[in-house]
Amino acid sequence: MDRILIEGPNRLIGEVAIRGAKNAVLPLMAASLLVDGWMTITNVPRLRDIDTFNTLLMHLGADVETDYDGGVLRIRTPQLKSDEAPYDMVRTMRASVLALGPLVARFKRARVSLPGGCAIGARPIDLHIMALKKMGAEVSVEHGFVNVKAERLVGASIRFDTVTVTGTENVMLAAVHAEGTTVIGNAALEPEVVCLADTLIKMGARIKGAGTDTITIEGVNALKAVEVEVIPDRIEAGTFMVASAMTRGNVLIKNCPYKFLDALIVKLKETGTEIRQEKDGVRVIGDIPIRSVDVKTMPYPGFPTDMQAQMMSMMATAGGLSVITETVFENRFMHVSELRRMGADITIDGRTAVVRGVRALSAAPLMATDLRASASLILAGLAAHGTTEVSRIYHLDRGYERIEAKLLGLGAKIKRVKA
Ligand code: UD1
């Protein structure tokens, strides 16, 4: 297994460009199942999760053409070869569940493996199932699979009791072909949901309210394939912002989705970080000592759970006491035990972590446990004294394109050691 070695501490200085958002590409790829023509998706990053979804689409019967250098993905699904999203694919990437909505909408049936336990909590799909049932689908769970059948889906009023991003996306993907009007209450407001809605509208769907907590979808008979550009990745951008802030860096982040990063920017400014919009991007200048801040993750537009681990690394090196509360997932503190091995002073009580900044971390061998936790360990390694070795970095490759090359370009002493 590949490992990453980082020699710290090191100031990051220079420019970095942000690529398209993984969490926006995946639902667009799912949307391609709705039509038989070629969908063209541009600004696509090279990531393992996207490869996994490609494999799933090809398994279902899609033709896929990739030009990763150009960031272009072309997909068409003239017919269905299989209606099943197998366990191996859903297990490695929970977002495979996004195939459910479009498969039922177009082919009237789908069989998706239950995702099972996940490193960051139980992550059930009960809300996806509840919504499809309300739309008239017959749902049964057998042998670890959810089987969904619907001769015709009908519009329904669906209210989520928990805000769910892929749940909201799945209902939109299913409802575009339903008979009548579907209303989603307590819908997710994430920019990636809006990106999917805009694309579906371009394809001919009738959708109103995306970006608010009530989304209305009026079913239509036919949709057409289109070309669409993916929005920039706010989590990749946020990760580089924190990297610059915690290394006393001076980094210009190009193609930075500033408007999607409000909650993070407010917090970073409170730490003493200077953030300013320039003609070519967003400049982030770190300062020492880092002031401790409290953070509570929330659905968008709140502080993103996908930035919690990175922020915790920064707080581990800050000058005071920080309380970090994770409200979105019940078990998303796996990075804590690794950070402690670097000398961080963190105690956990349920969903709350109390971080007493120790100013300087010391390098240690570390193990990545999930995607964003991996990023937090890389950041800690940049700030720590000595050589940090992060193993199991395949998690990192799921969601960050060439992160070590980008950090190297900013002056980090970092290298990947091939297995
Ligand atoms: C998406 C993102 C992920 C991000 C998360 C929260 C993608 C591909 N992934 O994941 O990066 O961390 O949003 O911002 O976009 N829940 C249920 N029942 C369900 C569905 C969800 O109880 O049927 C719960 C989850 O366990 C969790 C909460 O709802 O506690 C939010 O999860 P959700 O928004 O669905 O996360 P994902 O869409 O999987």
Side-chain angles (χ1 to χ4, degrees):
M1 270 183 280
D2 292 4
R3 290 165 296 141
I4 282 183
L5 299 181
I6 313 142
E7 198 186 316
N10 216 321
R11 287 185 75 193
L12 297 186
I13 292 171
E15 297 179 359
V16 66
I18 300 307
R19 294 299 307 272
K22 166 180 88 72
N23 286 355
V25 180
L26 298 173
L28 299 184
M29 293 171 76
S32 75
L33 287 169
L34 290 166
V35 288
D36 60 7
W38 284 104
M39 281 282 286
T40 303
I41 308 173
T42 63
N43 195 26
V44 176
R46 177 168 216 154
L47 300 172
R48 209 159 59 91
D49 272 8
I50 290 172
D51 285 339
T52 305
F53 212 93
N54 274 337
T55 309
L56 172 60
L57 291 176
M58 288 188 284
H59 169 87
L60 297 172
D63 300 318
V64 178
E65 290 180 1
T66 50
D67 163 16
Y68 279 125
D69 292 336
V72 180
L73 198 55
R74 296 183 75 235
I75 305 164
R76 67 163 183 192
T77 318
Q79 62 201 11
L80 201 63
K81 276 198 214 132
S82 161
D83 61 359
E84 181 181 303
Y87 178 62
D88 270 356
M89 293 173 201
V90 182
R91 182 177 54 87
T92 48
M93 190 186 64
R94 196 189 123 81
S96 308
V97 74
L98 282 168
L100 197 55
L103 283 179
V104 180
R106 180 162 162 218
F107 300 105
K108 306 184 190 314
R109 63 183 203 273
R111 200 172 132 75
V112 173
S113 167
L114 285 168
C118 159
I120 61 171
R123 299 185 86 172
I125 57 164
D126 56 315
L127 298 171
H128 300 239
I129 295 173
M130 170 280 286
L132 287 167
K133 276 188 180 162
K134 278 207 142 184
M135 296 171 78
E138 259 177 60
V139 182
S140 63
V141 179
E142 276 170 4
H143 308 299
F145 277 83
V146 187
N147 301 299
V148 185
K149 268 195 231 153
E151 248 340 283
R152 62 186 188 108
L153 288 171
V154 287
S157 176
I158 293 155
R159 195 179 161 78
F160 288 126
D161 55 15
T162 304
V163 177
T164 162
V165 177
T166 49
T168 302
E169 291 166 346
N170 233 340
V171 173
M172 281 202 290
L173 287 161
V176 284
H177 279 325
E179 213 176 285
T181 304
T182 300
V183 181
I184 310 175
N186 200 22
L189 314 183
E190 269 68 0
E192 294 76 20
V193 171
V194 178
C195 181
L196 172 64
D198 288 345
T199 303
L200 291 170
I201 290 167
K202 206 170 168 188
M203 292 167 77
R206 295 207 189 119
I207 301 179
K208 290 209 175 99
T212 74
D213 66 0
T214 308
I215 301 178
T216 308
I217 307 120
E218 225 182 287
V220 296
N221 287 328
L223 296 172
K224 60 177 189 296
V226 295
E227 176 169 335
V228 59
E229 185 179 336
V230 177
I231 55 171
D233 195 318
R234 62 198 167 97
I235 305 302
E236 186 194 17
T239 302
F240 279 100
M241 289 174 110
V242 174
S244 182
M246 70 186 280
T247 60
R248 270 197 317 131
N250 184 335
V251 176
L252 181 70
I253 301 173
K254 293 179 153 179
N255 202 22
C256 179
Y258 191 85
K259 61 176 185 212
F260 302 151
L261 283 159
D262 248 11
L264 174 68
I265 289 170
V266 166
K267 285 292 162 189
L268 283 178
K269 285 186 173 168
E270 275 178 39
T271 68
T273 304
E274 186 182 332
I275 298 177
R276 56 174 193 251
Q277 269 185 292
E278 295 186 358
K279 192 165 66 62
D280 292 336
V282 176
R283 186 169 295 282
V284 180
I285 305 174
D287 194 15
I288 286 228
I290 295 165
R291 284 200 290 272
S292 290
V293 292
D294 294 342
V295 171
K296 190 180 200 174
T297 65
M298 298 287 270
Y300 189 84
F303 190 95
T305 172
D306 286 352
M307 282 303 303
Q308 178 256 109
Q310 300 90 313
M311 199 64 181
M312 189 176 303
S313 285
M314 181 169 176
M315 289 303 100
T317 64
L321 189 110
S322 155
V323 178
I324 297 182
T325 311
E326 172 60 58
T327 76
V328 180
F329 292 112
E330 75 269 26
N331 181 23
R332 209 178 192 176
F333 284 144
M334 280 91 53
H335 40 287
V336 169
S337 53
E338 299 301 297
L339 292 174
R340 277 190 195 133
R341 301 182 61 247
M342 304 176 85
D345 180 352
I346 306 170
T347 46
I348 300 176
D349 180 12
R351 289 183 172 220
T352 300
V354 177
V355 188
R356 290 175 184 80
V358 292
R359 300 267 172 107
L361 295 173
S362 63
L366 306 172
M367 197 155 9
T369 47
D370 75 46
L371 171 54
R372 305 304 168 186
S374 316
S376 77
L377 302 184
I378 301 283
L379 300 192
L382 292 170
H385 291 260
T387 302
T388 295
E389 177 185 309
V390 185
S391 58
R392 297 211 178 156
I393 51 158
Y394 51 86
H395 290 291
L396 204 61
D397 297 331
R398 286 187 44 210
Y400 290 93
E401 186 187 67
R402 298 183 317 113
I403 192 170
E404 73 278 12
K406 286 185 176 181
L407 289 169
L408 196 67
L410 295 172
K413 293 185 187 135
I414 183 168
K415 68 174 178 200
R416 179 183 288 243
V417 182
K418 292 272 176 197

